Amino acid sequence: MPKPPTITERKLGKHQAIGLCWNDGTIEIDSRLKGKKRLEIVCHEIIHHIAPEWPEERVLHGGRIMGNALWKQGYRKTDS
């Protein structure tokens, strides 16, 4: 099992992406994402980190399920 990723935020428009998972264990999330979509993308990129062999369709599905479940449980980003 890989180590937990380091998650950072920045605008990713030049990459035409809203989330990226790099081989060095870094995940980048577009800083313009908010709310439930942001949570889903974080989950999506974490799945890429822990299961890089999964096809994109499976990662998309898993990220949506995980993001929705966490959102329903009240998980939100806070400014702390």
Side-chain angles (χ1 to χ4, degrees):
M1 183 67 85
K3 295 189 308 187
T6 300
I7 300 175
T8 62
E9 293 186 23
R10 69 181 176 103
K11 291 181 181 176
L12 297 175
K14 74 175 185 177
H15 294 282
Q16 297 182 348
I18 54 177
L20 296 168
C21 181
W22 300 100
N23 292 333
D24 67 358
T26 300
I27 289 174
E28 293 182 310
I29 303 297
D30 194 296
S31 57
R32 297 168 288 194
L33 284 175
K34 304 292 180 223
K36 186 176 171 187
K37 185 66 173 179
R38 183 187 185 284
L39 183 59
E40 286 180 15
I41 298 304
V42 168
C43 292
H44 174 102
E45 297 305 333
I46 290 171
I47 293 170
H48 274 306
H49 176 72
I50 62 174
E53 72 282 358
W54 281 16
E56 187 66 16
E57 185 176 312
R58 189 174 184 188
V59 174
L60 281 167
H61 185 68
R64 274 191 227 110
I65 289 173
M66 201 181 312
N68 285 330
L70 291 169
W71 191 261
K72 285 180 183 177
Q73 290 298 308
Y75 285 87
R76 306 290 189 271
K77 183 180 187 309
T78 60
D79 295 329
S80 38

